[in-house]
Amino acid sequence: MTTVTKDLFLNTLLCSTFGWRLANGKIPKELSPTTLFRMEEGKEIGRRARALFPEGVFIWETEHVIAARRTTEYLRESSCSVIFEGTFLFENYIARADILTRAADDYGWDLIEVKSSVNQKTEFIDDMAYTTLIARESGFSPNAIKLMLVDRNYRLGMEPHMLFQIIDCTTEVMARVDEFTPYLPEIRSLISQPIEPAPTLSYKCKNCDQFQVCFGKDIDCPIFIIPRLQQKKADEMIEKGIVCVLDIPDDYPLSVNQKRIVECVKCGRVRVDPGIRKMLQEIQWPAFYLDFETTMTALPLYPGIGPYEIILTQYSIHFCDQCGCVHTHREYIANPKLDCRRELAERLIEDLAGEGSIITYSSFEKTVIGALARIFPDLEEPLSQILDRIVDLEKFVHRLDHPGFQGKTSIKVVLPVMVPDLSYEGLEIANGDLAKVRFAMMAREMIHEHEWEETCVALLEYCKMDTLAMVRLHEALERMVNSE
Ligand code: SF4
């Protein structure tokens, strides 16, 4: 019989088809480098949390029955006050508690879940509810259920306990335990049935990574491509049998923006907002195309930086005399061993000196420069001048409805439609998340120093590609508008 873990239980609760596929090995388990890095970070946070309880005993046993027996023995031992990875078994359900601590009055135990996050999330309550439920069904009821989160005020050099904040979640978790309890028999039988349960389309499918091999394979333009589609509206459409944008009646109540996208997909025609022409004319030449890469980690990389604080690590600038004519390219990448934000800010000011628009894609660069100005008040004036010159190219794309965009405006979606001969394919680093992780891996020395040069070249190539993509996209927009 399949062992049901927390992950399997919670996923099956959300979607029985997904859960069945997970239980029956139909979902590939290959993890991206980004996920692997985040998992490593999670393990390190777990290690640091356990280090705060030097008296703790670890349940090392991997075999479930032996681990559960060992846990019971420790729970009964009066000299034992802290257990790590305490294991609970109920029928074929298994749960492991990160930390169990004997309550101060010596009566009962508290259950602590450690998370490498600075924010409390609903899914954490679900995680704790599952563990509590299986513990309770196996005969162990914790007194209190607590969440141990990373404290965003922590800085390198502080006392180890200051890395964490503890939140008592007992009431919320117990309410969720009551909701979960009736599903125990149902989920067990669902995942062990020989045939995959028929999928049911609902809002949950919107972000499901199985969508393309599940419902997505038969639906060309699913309703989920409609921007800002709320659950209520999606449920209402599905109930009426509308699953594809092409099936949406012309008079269906949608926001103005949603209607525009739906009409564009339905008629398959490009629509250019006349206002885009004026926006393009307002760009001051020569112009600078600017893109940043950043990193962020649970444990700060440098002094004075908080957990998950965004650290600017590199930039790329394409300098153009006029639209499509690249004059020069400038770039910067930080030394992973040091906090180089000051040097980067100074170089950025130099490299963007002069007049002319600074073109970005999204408001991210603006936000990061605003943060730099707060960190280095003496640079506030030149950084503010940069802010005043920024023009967001994505806002131009918002005024362009193209059936190929499928309601999205991210450069990774727009570029292949507008500039099909330019692609991120073949780049060693081809997305921002991987860039974040690779830089952090160098800073953490998870990438050996003799490979840094190669990694930095890949990072620079990726960032350069982002600004070149903007140059070419801008050129394509100009062409499109002028041919109208
Ligand atoms: S696409 Fe929907 S039905 Fe299919 S596995 Fe995902 S959540 Fe379940």
Side-chain angles (χ1 to χ4, degrees):
M1 192 184 276
T2 313
T3 302
V4 185
T5 59
K6 177 167 66 186
D7 191 36
L8 183 52
F9 177 88
L10 294 174
N11 274 299
T12 313
L13 203 60
L14 197 65
C15 170
S16 52
T17 311
F18 191 93
W20 188 91
R21 288 183 184 182
L22 205 59
N24 291 277
K26 306 281 181 205
I27 297 183
K29 289 210 175 98
E30 204 183 316
L31 300 172
S32 70
T34 311
T35 309
L36 288 169
F37 178 78
R38 297 294 168 214
M39 283 166 71
E40 271 311 309
E41 281 207 304
K43 282 186 201 162
E44 181 57 26
I45 293 293
R47 275 192 284 274
R48 296 204 179 206
R50 289 195 295 276
L52 299 178
F53 303 91
E55 68 279 35
V57 290
F58 203 109
I59 305 294
W60 292 106
E61 290 79 358
T62 49
E63 206 288 313
H64 304 332
V65 176
I66 302 173
R69 196 183 307 136
R70 194 87 193 98
T71 304
T72 310
E73 286 165 8
Y74 277 134
L75 286 170
R76 286 184 187 143
E77 255 177 47
S78 58
S79 61
C80 178
S81 58
V82 179
I83 303 170
F84 304 132
E85 295 295 313
T87 306
F88 303 100
L89 265 184
F90 170 65
E91 297 174 345
N92 59 326
Y93 288 92
I94 181 163
R96 281 183 178 257
D98 289 336
I99 304 174
L100 294 166
T101 58
R102 200 179 277 280
D105 57 4
D106 216 24
Y107 180 76
W109 294 76
D110 293 346
L111 187 152
I112 303 175
E113 179 93 10
V114 184
K115 294 287 180 194
S116 58
S117 166
V118 284
N119 299 315
Q120 193 171 350
K121 299 178 188 165
T122 328
E123 67 215 50
F124 297 162
I125 300 294
D126 287 357
D127 279 11
M128 291 184 283
Y130 172 81
T131 310
T132 307
L133 171 62
I134 304 308
R136 193 187 69 182
E137 294 300 309
S138 75
F140 169 82
S141 293
N143 279 352
I145 302 125
K146 297 174 181 173
L147 186 57
M148 201 167 175
L149 291 180
V150 174
D151 191 327
R152 67 172 79 245
N153 298 311
Y154 174 79
R155 297 292 181 272
L156 290 180
M158 285 183 172
E159 290 293 318
H161 72 272
M162 295 173 87
L163 176 61
F164 297 100
Q165 49 168 323
I166 296 181
I167 305 160
D168 192 320
C169 302
T170 312
T171 312
E172 287 158 279
V173 171
M174 291 316 291
R176 202 78 177 117
V177 167
D178 291 342
E179 287 168 24
F180 281 177
T181 308
Y183 290 100
L184 283 176
E186 197 179 314
I187 285 181
R188 194 179 45 233
S189 76
L190 254 171
I191 56 164
S192 52
Q193 67 184 40
I195 299 164
E196 180 176 323
T200 328
L201 187 70
S202 71
Y203 192 71
K204 70 184 184 307
C205 304
K206 189 179 177 201
N207 297 317
C208 174
D209 54 17
Q210 289 288 293
F211 189 74
Q212 286 312 326
V213 291
C214 192
F215 277 108
K217 69 180 191 314
D218 300 319
I219 307 175
D220 222 9
C221 295
I223 53 168
F224 301 131
I225 68 163
I226 300 172
R228 297 179 201 278
L229 184 69
Q230 302 295 322
Q231 175 159 6
K232 195 167 164 250
K233 183 66 83 183
D235 289 346
E236 186 188 290
M237 285 182 171
I238 293 165
E239 212 182 302
K240 291 190 162 107
I242 304 168
V243 294
C244 165
V245 170
L246 303 175
D247 299 336
I248 300 175
D250 291 343
D251 58 352
Y252 200 84
L254 291 169
S255 73
V256 176
N257 193 28
Q258 290 173 333
K259 255 193 190 337
R260 257 182 40 214
I261 303 296
V262 168
E263 273 164 24
C264 169
V265 173
K266 280 174 78 175
C267 70
R269 270 198 309 271
V270 179
R271 195 195 71 89
V272 184
D273 182 312
I276 201 172
R277 189 182 295 273
K278 186 164 178 284
M279 290 167 84
L280 285 165
Q281 284 165 353
E282 279 170 4
I283 287 178
Q284 308 274 308
W285 298 98
F288 302 75
Y289 294 81
L290 172 69
D291 184 67
F292 286 162
E293 296 307 327
T294 56
T295 195
M296 60 176 186
T297 51
L299 282 165
L301 293 173
Y302 313 111
I305 288 172
Y308 295 111
E309 190 173 325
I310 292 172
I311 309 168
L312 181 56
T313 53
Q314 66 176 106
Y315 65 74
S316 165
I317 298 168
H318 269 94
F319 177 59
C320 292
D321 296 327
Q322 51 181 291
C323 191
C325 294
V326 176
H327 183 275
T328 39
H329 176 252
R330 295 161 192 166
E331 59 192 0
Y332 175 93
I333 188 158
N335 176 349
K337 285 184 185 165
L338 306 166
D339 175 7
C340 296
R341 290 175 300 170
R342 173 84 201 189
E343 183 184 77
L344 188 154
E346 287 172 356
R347 283 273 304 276
L348 184 73
I349 293 165
E350 266 173 45
D351 283 344
L352 292 173
E355 314 250 300
S357 300
I358 297 167
I359 302 170
T360 62
Y361 202 89
S362 90
S363 56
F364 182 68
E365 280 68 20
K366 240 182 172 171
T367 309
V368 175
I369 293 172
L372 280 181
R374 285 190 292 279
I375 299 165
F376 306 115
D378 58 317
L379 299 180
E380 194 187 338
E381 203 188 313
L383 289 170
S384 300
Q385 285 166 5
I386 290 177
L387 287 177
D388 292 341
R389 290 162 57 204
I390 288 184
V391 176
D392 179 358
L393 195 62
E394 193 177 15
K395 288 199 175 138
F396 293 47
V397 176
H398 282 152
R399 291 180 171 252
L400 176 68
D401 299 333
H402 195 302
F405 296 172
Q406 300 259 308
K408 300 190 178 81
T409 55
S410 113
I411 200 157
K412 302 288 190 303
V413 174
V414 170
L415 188 71
V417 178
M418 297 291 286
V419 191
D421 63 326
L422 189 68
S423 144
Y424 286 80
E425 237 170 77
L427 290 182
E428 192 193 321
I429 295 171
N431 66 69
D433 281 345
L434 187 55
K436 273 190 187 77
V437 161
R438 283 285 162 82
F439 189 91
M441 286 173 81
M442 288 195 287
R444 288 243 180 279
E445 298 186 355
M446 291 162 79
I447 293 177
H448 198 279
E449 217 168 321
H450 71 253
E451 292 171 49
W452 283 15
E453 199 182 325
E454 205 180 305
T455 307
C456 286
V457 167
L459 284 165
L460 289 169
E461 272 177 6
Y462 169 63
C463 198
K464 186 178 181 181
M465 179 65 185
D466 272 340
T467 43
L468 181 63
M470 279 190 252
V471 173
R472 298 287 309 279
L473 177 60
H474 188 176
E475 199 184 8
L477 280 172
E478 280 270 1
R479 254 198 320 268
M480 184 176 270
V481 170
N482 291 333
S483 67
E484 279 281 299

